[in-house]
Amino acid sequence: MTEGQEPESKAPSPKIIDLSLGVISLVYLLLGIRGILRSKKWSDKRKHHPTWRFILRLIPQLIPALLIGWLFFIVPTLQNNSSTTIDAFGLYPAAMVLLAIVFIIGLVLTALRIYHRITLNKD
């Protein structure tokens, strides 16, 4: 502009990142709801598996939920840590919403699959 030329129009990176994280959050939420609705069928298919194998099948959605739970609930309480979960939501809202969705879907999905497994074994 100081040289009399038009400034280069750059894409706003934060907006692109937030929109991308929003789309990923929406897709994860939809797939998570689908998994929750199909959790009984998932447990039915695995009712003849031994318990150790059933538990191994729960690990892929349980590990992220445990790590995110650690981040949300344990890290803010550590000694000499002045940051809180609210601070993180203020700085990175799209990323924190994605993490919250992954956490909630992982816990609910795991709990429902275990619940359906227990109720199937009673029948």
Side-chain angles (χ1 to χ4, degrees):
M1 286 178 57
T2 58
E3 297 174 0
Q5 298 175 356
E6 287 292 319
E8 291 182 32
S9 178
K10 294 185 179 179
S13 297
K15 186 177 253 184
I16 292 171
I17 292 170
D18 284 346
L19 288 174
S20 300
L21 287 174
V23 169
I24 293 169
S25 297
L26 187 61
V27 168
Y28 197 92
L29 182 65
L30 292 174
L31 290 175
I33 291 170
R34 180 176 178 245
I36 289 169
L37 295 175
R38 297 182 55 179
S39 63
K40 184 169 176 29
K41 183 179 178 181
W42 187 91
S43 293
D44 286 344
K45 281 178 76 173
R46 289 154 184 84
K47 66 182 172 185
H48 298 297
H49 291 180
T51 303
W52 65 268
R53 189 170 171 196
F54 181 81
I55 292 170
L56 283 177
R57 296 288 298 205
L58 295 175
I59 290 176
Q61 73 265 5
L62 194 56
I63 288 177
L66 291 175
L67 291 174
I68 295 168
W70 176 78
L71 178 69
F72 281 170
F73 302 112
I74 304 298
V75 170
T77 63
L78 295 176
Q79 186 176 6
N80 297 328
N81 185 9
S82 62
S83 64
T84 64
T85 305
I86 302 298
D87 294 336
F89 270 102
L91 290 172
Y92 312 105
M96 295 307 283
V97 167
L98 174 62
L99 291 178
I101 289 171
V102 171
F103 174 73
I104 292 168
I105 293 290
L107 284 183
V108 170
L109 192 56
T110 303
L112 280 174
R113 287 177 176 178
I114 291 171
Y115 171 77
H116 291 307
R117 168 76 177 216
I118 292 171
T119 57
L120 284 175
N121 287 339
K122 287 183 180 180
D123 294 337

